[in-house]
C-alpha cells in the first residue's frame, strides 16, 4: 500500500516562530488532508489539498502532486498550535481508506 | 465542531466484555469510516460503509463488527475485549464514495471514543 512519511517527527518552537512540516507519499493520490490533533485528542481538519496551494489565516499548505509531497506552513506560531499534525492520503481506484502518516508532534513554548 | 457525533466519549470496561460505539455522520454524508488510534499503531483504518453497504475493510479484527443503518448512523461493536483493544476510536464521514471522483471526498472526524479495557 501507499507509504506516508512525515518530517520532522518532533518540533519545538518558541511562540512567534515559523515552521514547515513535510509529508511525502509513495504513490499518486486523489485526496490529501492535513489534520491537527489537539491535546484533547480531537482531529481538526486543516486543509483538503490534493494539489495546489491554500491559505487559512496563519496556516497555509502546498501539495505538489507530481513530486508526491505536501508542505504545511505555520507562521507566527502560538501555544494553541501545539499538538500533532497529521497528513493523510487516499489513492484512486478501489482504495477507500485514508492512510495516515505518523504525525509531527509540535510543541510551542511561551 | 465537525458535525460528526460519537458516543460515548469515554468507556471503561473489563476484559472479555462487549461494547458498542455509535456514530452519527454529518448531515448529507453517505460514507462512514471507522479508525482506531493506539500509541503503537498510529491511526489505522478499520472499515467503511457507504449508504448502508460495507465498501472496504482494513485492519479490523474478527471480534469487531460494524453496520450502517438506514438513517445512516453507524455502530462499531467490539467483543471479547482484550487489554490491547484500549485505544481511541474515531468515526469519520464524507459525502461520497471514492468512485465518485469528481466530488470532494474530504473526511470529517468525530471527537472519538476513548476505550479503556481493564
Amino acid at each position: 500500500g501507499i507509504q506516508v512519511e512525515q518530517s520532522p517527527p518532533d518540533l519545538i518552537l518558541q511562540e512567534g516562530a515559523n515552521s514547515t512540516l513535510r509529508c511525502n507519499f509513495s504513490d499518486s493520490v486523489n485526496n490529501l488532508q492535513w489534520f491537527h490533533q489537539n491535546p484533547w485528542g480531537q482531529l481538526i481538519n486543516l486543509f483538503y489539498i490534493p494539489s495546489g496551494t491554500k491559505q487559512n489565516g496563519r496556516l497555509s499548505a502546498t501539495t505538489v502532486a507530481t513530486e508526491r509531497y505536501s508542505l504545511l506552513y505555520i507562521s507566527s506560531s502560538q501555544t494553541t498550535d501545539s499538538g500533532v499534525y497529521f497528513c493523510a492520503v487516499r489513492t484512486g481506484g478501489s482504495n477507500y481508506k485514508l492512510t495516515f502518516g505518523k504525525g509531527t508532534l509540535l510543541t510551542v513554548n511561551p | 465542531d465537525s458535525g460528526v457525533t460519537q458516543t460515548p466519549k469515554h468507556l471503561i470496561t473489563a476484559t472479555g466484555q462487549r461494547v458498542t460505539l455509535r456514530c452519527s455522520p454529518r448531515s448529507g454524508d453517505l460514507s462512514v469510516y471507522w479508525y482506531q488510534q493506539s500509541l503503537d499503531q498510529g491511526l489505522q483504518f478499520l472499515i467503511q460503509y457507504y449508504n448502508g453497504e460495507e465498501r472496504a475493510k482494513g485492519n479490523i479484527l474478527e471480534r469487531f463488527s460494524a453496520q450502517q443503518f438506514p438513517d445512516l448512523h453507524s455502530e462499531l461493536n467490539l467483543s471479547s475485549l482484550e487489554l490491547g483493544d484500549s485505544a481511541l476510536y474515531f468515526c469519520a464521514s464524507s459525502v461520497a464514495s471514492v468512485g465518485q471522483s469528481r466530488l470532494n471526498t474530504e473526511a470529517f472526524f468525530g471527537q472519538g471514543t476513548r476505550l479503556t479495557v481493564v
Side-chain angles (χ1 to χ4, degrees):
Chain A
I2 191 168
Q3 304 297 312
V4 182
E5 293 184 1
Q6 291 186 241
S7 59
D10 300 278
L11 188 56
I12 300 175
L13 301 174
Q14 287 300 120
E15 211 169 13
N18 302 329
S19 61
T20 301
L21 282 56
R22 187 176 179 102
C23 172
N24 291 334
F25 42 95
S26 61
D27 202 351
S28 56
V29 298
N30 64 11
N31 176 352
L32 188 145
Q33 292 184 241
W34 283 97
F35 296 91
H36 174 216
Q37 187 167 36
N38 64 21
W40 295 271
Q42 269 185 291
L43 277 170
I44 299 164
N45 287 43
L46 296 178
F47 294 102
Y48 171 80
I49 187 165
S51 64
T53 297
K54 289 185 177 179
Q55 179 148 12
N56 184 1
R58 296 181 296 103
L59 273 58
S60 64
T62 294
T63 297
V64 183
T66 52
E67 296 188 21
R68 300 182 183 169
Y69 73 89
S70 183
L71 302 173
L72 177 68
Y73 306 95
I74 304 174
S75 64
S76 305
S77 56
Q78 300 175 357
T79 55
T80 51
D81 295 331
S82 296
V84 183
Y85 290 80
F86 288 103
C87 166
V89 302
R90 177 184 288 130
T91 61
S94 60
N95 187 334
Y96 293 84
K97 65 181 181 182
L98 273 174
T99 299
F100 282 78
K102 292 188 191 301
T104 293
L105 173 59
L106 175 66
T107 303
V108 181
N109 293 319
Chain B
D1 183 2
S2 67
V4 179
T5 303
Q6 286 187 249
T7 57
K9 287 191 173 58
H10 301 276
L11 199 48
I12 301 175
T13 190
T15 54
Q17 295 298 305
R18 172 189 170 96
V19 298
T20 297
L21 313 184
R22 183 187 169 99
C23 169
S24 294
R26 293 187 320 155
S27 176
D29 284 0
L30 299 177
S31 274
V32 170
Y33 311 79
W34 286 97
Y35 287 80
Q36 179 193 57
Q37 185 179 30
S38 57
L39 284 175
D40 55 343
Q41 295 290 326
L43 271 153
Q44 299 284 316
F45 169 73
L46 296 179
I47 197 164
Q48 182 213 0
Y49 281 82
Y50 175 74
N51 204 19
E53 295 184 2
E54 181 184 307
R55 278 297 176 94
K57 259 186 175 178
N59 302 321
I60 187 165
L61 300 172
E62 284 191 11
R63 300 183 284 108
F64 296 179
S65 65
Q67 54 184 326
Q68 186 179 28
F69 294 87
D71 66 352
L72 301 178
H73 91 271
S74 178
E75 293 181 357
L76 179 67
N77 299 296
L78 315 176
S79 62
S80 303
L81 285 166
E82 303 174 0
L83 295 178
D85 297 327
S86 295
L88 194 49
Y89 291 85
F90 286 106
C91 168
S93 72
S94 67
V95 171
S97 185
V98 171
Q100 295 161 301
S101 59
R102 289 185 201 173
L103 297 177
N104 184 326
T105 59
E106 183 175 7
F108 292 85
F109 283 72
Q111 291 185 318
T113 294
R114 189 172 296 278
L115 174 66
T116 303
V117 183
V118 297

